[in-house]
Amino acid sequence: MKIEQNILTAVNEWLTPVFDTETQESIKKMMTSSPKELEESFYKNLEFGTGGMRGVMGPGTNRINKYTLGKNTQGLSNYMHQVFPGRELKVAIAFDCRHNSQSLAKVVADVFSANGIKVYLFSDMRPTPELSFALKYLGCQAGIVLTASHNPPEYNGYKVYWEDGGQLVPPQDAEIINVIENLKYDEIKFQANEDLIQFIDTEIDDAFIKSSIANASFDTAATAKENLKIVFTSLHGTSIKAVPQTLAKAGYTNVNIVPEQAEPNGDFPTVKSPNPEEPEALTMALSLAEKLGADIVVGTDPDCDRLGVAVRNNDDKMILLNGNQTMVMMTAFLLEQWKKAGKIDGKQFIGSTIVSTPMMMELATAYNVECKIGLTGFKWIAKMIKDFPELKFIGGGEESFGFMVGDAVRDKDAVAATLLMCEIAAQAKAKGSSVYKELLKLYVDFGFYKEHLVSLTKKGIEGLSEINKMMVEMRTNPVKEINDQRVIMLEDYKISVAKNLLTGEEETMNVPKSDVLIYYTEDGAKIAARPSGTEPKIKFYVSVNAKLDSVENAPEVEANLDAKIKNILLDLKII
């Protein structure tokens, strides 16, 4: 196959003495035995997406390795010296259970220390939300976590946090990327100053767990906690370091851990994907729940920032809740607790994203708080806290199974969220109800909202091209009708324009640009399309709703909504 000149130029650079012998030999092997792999490894530079930078591990500019991460870290070091002149610079670093995470974390620590920056490094894997907490706790200007969340085993990643504890957002992200792109690989300082690297562990663990309990506990009776039977799985990830300990210290004594998945393992051997969004990932937990007669199942992804939840329905069967449902449950519970405590005075807000359930707006209106809607990714919810210091953040989430309780952690946090879900379940059970029954009551009060996500995987150069073509087609030829309903509004976040398709009137949206399209139909359906910022996928989000006059009619209304979703997907040729 013919390889483009720009790729050959990049390859030749990596065959110079700047790069170690092992890297050079791996590249030479690809040149002779796998030119396609060579092309995939060098056709572009890894980019920051909605959850930082993620990629397949290996040599090359489009891969996670000591040089791509070293270059990022050198650029970040240079930037920190520019924007914090004369200050003692400090960073915190954590890593997950993935292959090479610990060694790559040490490389990152070495580069920071070589640039005169104090490093606080966890000596073992820790949940991602603990890194956000540690950064603030230790007064650092920045933080890094080595993780690829729920991506396949061959992936790793690099997430950057700023001094407020949230991930990088404008303008810092573009400014740092500009510094990184202007660096040469021979400018990376790999020689560590070990005196500037300090290992951190139990002090941060204890403070983090104490904070999680303070934020996510709401006067649940001790007997209610003891009577709640919980099944928990860490899916071979980092949550085993924090969730069981947090639940125990909060008073939950009946926690049953899935033993086959308790051991951290970067191969994730018992699941196809360590993603709590995928029902298959919780198969073992559900089996244990049936065996034990458990009330609730919780599973977290490898870096412990997202959680999947299963509860018993009215037929006593375990069913999986989706991310929108858990988000609505947790938000409604928090709002009610704040209301009971007399803490709502119109100066509070909850947060959500443009592809999550519109039901969040209904909750906000009912409780006299604001609902701020941001782009996909929790960095935007964390930014809301920073941008509106006059408002108190109650909680918020996104459809992809992430939730944040309060502002002690400035990222989605499955530790506090797991405890919060157990509080909801324990209190519901104590009064003769259940999580599922409480969810149905919310649907009666606010409308039955049902959402569905379809993800289409498109790998490699060809896949990226296909995804781009699909988005271009949807922009240049927007559909006028979906499932026999007129499309009344089209929001194009790439150009920040909302267009009324009935009148032709256009309005500028005051949000950062993003490759997202959202259609709204006259019967209240919402259909969004966006390429994933962390995986080779294009995602389609469908939200429909209907009135529910009584809990007894929920099965019929839900069946109608499911049929409506299916018809929309068929009409758009997504399935």
Side-chain angles (χ1 to χ4, degrees):
M1 61 177 286
K2 182 183 178 182
I3 297 177
E4 299 293 330
Q5 184 57 50
N6 65 310
I7 295 175
L8 290 174
T9 300
V11 168
N12 287 331
E13 181 185 4
W14 281 59
L15 293 174
T16 65
V18 170
F19 300 86
D20 61 39
T21 303
E22 184 181 353
T23 297
Q24 293 184 53
E25 290 303 318
S26 295
I27 294 169
K28 289 174 183 176
K29 186 176 179 181
M30 276 194 283
M31 292 173 73
T32 56
S33 63
S34 185
K36 179 63 178 175
E37 184 182 353
L38 184 76
E39 183 182 47
E40 294 283 356
S41 300
F42 283 94
Y43 82 95
K44 66 173 185 174
N45 292 335
L46 273 181
E47 299 171 347
F48 282 91
T50 53
M53 177 181 284
R54 293 184 203 170
V56 174
M57 290 177 278
T61 58
N62 188 36
R63 294 289 185 256
I64 293 288
N65 53 65
K66 65 177 286 189
Y67 297 103
T68 53
L69 298 193
K71 189 176 179 183
N72 283 351
T73 307
Q74 184 63 53
L76 183 55
S77 300
N78 293 352
Y79 181 80
M80 289 174 67
H81 280 294
Q82 290 173 23
V83 298
F84 301 115
R87 288 176 61 179
E88 180 195 6
L89 300 181
K90 298 183 289 184
V91 299
I93 302 174
F95 55 91
D96 70 2
C97 60
R98 288 178 174 273
H99 299 304
N100 303 315
S101 278
Q102 185 165 12
S103 59
L104 289 171
K106 183 59 168 67
V107 168
V108 171
D110 290 348
V111 175
F112 276 127
S113 69
N115 283 276
I117 297 172
K118 171 74 175 179
V119 177
Y120 295 102
L121 174 64
F122 281 102
S123 61
D124 196 3
M125 66 188 72
R126 287 297 188 279
T128 287
E130 188 169 350
L131 183 278
S132 173
F133 175 85
L135 188 163
K136 293 173 64 185
Y137 184 84
L138 295 167
C140 299
Q141 288 82 25
I144 304 291
V145 62
L146 280 296
T147 177
S149 187
H150 58 280
N151 283 57
E154 64 270 20
Y155 279 75
N156 215 316
Y158 181 94
K159 289 172 76 171
V160 183
Y161 292 78
W162 208 232
E163 59 182 339
D164 67 319
Q167 289 184 56
L168 281 182
V169 291
Q172 282 84 14
D173 55 355
E175 293 170 356
I176 290 170
I177 289 168
N178 185 56
V179 173
I180 293 169
E181 288 179 345
N182 285 311
L183 274 174
K184 294 183 173 62
Y185 285 102
D186 61 7
E187 296 178 68
I188 304 169
K189 300 175 182 177
F190 283 115
Q191 296 303 313
N193 179 348
E194 298 291 350
D195 293 339
L196 289 178
I197 300 176
Q198 178 181 335
F199 288 99
I200 52 173
D201 289 303
T202 53
E203 179 191 349
I204 305 300
D205 294 340
D206 293 343
F208 174 61
I209 290 171
K210 184 178 179 180
S211 173
S212 299
I213 294 171
N215 281 306
S217 295
F218 292 92
D219 300 318
T220 303
T223 53
K225 294 178 181 179
E226 292 164 7
N227 289 336
L228 186 72
K229 191 171 288 187
I230 304 162
V231 166
F232 173 72
T233 177
S234 58
L235 296 179
H236 303 290
T238 62
S239 63
I240 202 69
K241 299 285 186 179
V243 171
Q245 297 86 332
T246 301
L247 291 175
K249 289 186 177 181
Y252 288 90
T253 56
N254 201 340
V255 180
N256 304 276
I257 298 170
V258 177
E260 300 91 339
Q261 297 175 328
E263 188 71 28
N265 188 329
D267 288 323
F268 313 113
T270 65
V271 291
K272 291 179 183 176
S273 169
N275 184 355
E277 287 183 272
E278 303 290 342
E280 181 272 337
L282 297 183
T283 300
M284 283 188 169
L286 289 169
S287 176
L288 183 59
E290 290 300 342
K291 180 180 176 182
L292 299 176
D295 301 298
I296 186 170
V297 167
V298 178
T300 55
D301 65 347
D303 66 331
C304 189
D305 60 0
R306 300 184 310 134
L307 75 164
V309 177
V311 296
R312 294 196 179 275
N313 67 8
N314 291 344
D315 296 322
D316 202 37
K317 284 186 174 180
M318 273 286 172
I319 61 162
L320 295 168
L321 301 179
N322 63 40
N324 286 297
Q325 291 171 319
T326 53
M327 169 172 60
V328 164
M329 285 297 304
M330 288 189 274
T331 303
F333 183 83
L334 288 173
L335 287 167
E336 187 62 24
Q337 298 303 315
W338 279 58
K339 181 183 177 181
K340 285 179 181 176
K343 291 163 54 178
I344 293 180
D345 59 6
K347 295 180 180 178
Q348 293 75 35
F349 79 98
I350 58 175
S352 187
T353 71
I354 58 175
V355 297
S356 299
T357 179
M359 191 172 169
M360 290 289 280
M361 299 294 291
E362 302 294 332
L363 290 172
T365 301
Y367 283 89
N368 189 34
V369 301
E370 196 173 337
C371 182
K372 294 189 177 296
I373 306 293
L375 296 176
T376 305
F378 251 77
K379 61 186 179 184
W380 300 109
I381 295 178
K383 186 175 186 294
M384 294 169 190
I385 299 172
K386 185 168 61 173
D387 289 348
F388 300 96
E390 73 280 6
L391 298 177
K392 184 67 177 174
F393 177 71
I394 295 174
E398 59 182 358
E399 58 74 39
S400 60
F401 289 59
F403 197 83
M404 183 162 66
V405 185
D407 63 0
V409 169
R410 300 291 176 91
D411 202 355
K412 51 188 179 289
D413 175 7
V415 179
T418 296
L419 175 56
L420 180 59
M421 279 304 307
C422 291
E423 291 279 289
I424 295 169
Q427 291 191 20
K429 185 177 181 181
K431 66 181 184 181
S433 184
S434 68
V435 171
Y436 186 75
K437 288 176 182 175
E438 295 302 306
L439 178 61
L440 293 183
K441 288 178 186 176
L442 291 177
Y443 288 152
V444 171
D445 292 340
F446 303 105
F448 199 143
Y449 283 78
K450 191 75 187 282
E451 281 78 28
H452 186 73
L453 168 67
V454 175
S455 295
L456 304 180
T457 300
K458 309 282 184 181
K459 292 185 177 181
I461 301 172
E462 293 84 359
L464 180 62
S465 175
E466 191 176 346
I467 288 171
N468 289 337
K469 284 178 182 176
M470 292 171 76
M471 293 300 294
V472 168
E473 174 63 23
M474 284 184 285
R475 280 195 169 87
T476 53
N477 297 298
V479 293
K480 303 291 194 299
E481 194 175 275
I482 300 174
N483 191 31
D484 297 326
Q485 296 289 321
R486 289 183 301 173
V487 176
I488 56 175
M489 180 73 71
L490 173 62
E491 293 177 344
D492 188 342
Y493 287 81
K494 195 167 189 177
I495 58 174
S496 301
V497 169
K499 183 176 182 179
N500 186 316
L501 297 187
L502 302 183
T503 66
E505 184 180 351
E506 294 187 353
E507 181 181 337
T508 300
M509 297 186 294
N510 186 27
V511 291
K513 288 180 170 50
S514 182
D515 193 7
V516 183
L517 281 171
I518 301 181
Y519 293 97
Y520 296 88
T521 65
E522 56 189 337
D523 65 344
K526 172 184 171 185
I527 302 97
R530 62 175 280 271
S532 170
T534 55
E535 302 172 274
K537 294 179 177 180
I538 182 168
K539 296 186 173 185
F540 297 91
Y541 309 78
V542 180
S543 175
V544 295
N545 64 86
K547 288 183 179 180
L548 179 63
D549 55 9
S550 70
V551 167
E552 290 72 26
N553 290 331
E556 181 185 352
V557 172
E558 183 168 22
N560 290 337
L561 291 175
D562 286 339
K564 191 173 186 178
I565 289 171
K566 183 177 180 180
N567 289 336
I568 288 171
L569 295 172
L570 287 169
D571 200 18
L572 292 173
K573 297 180 175 58
I574 296 171
I575 59 173

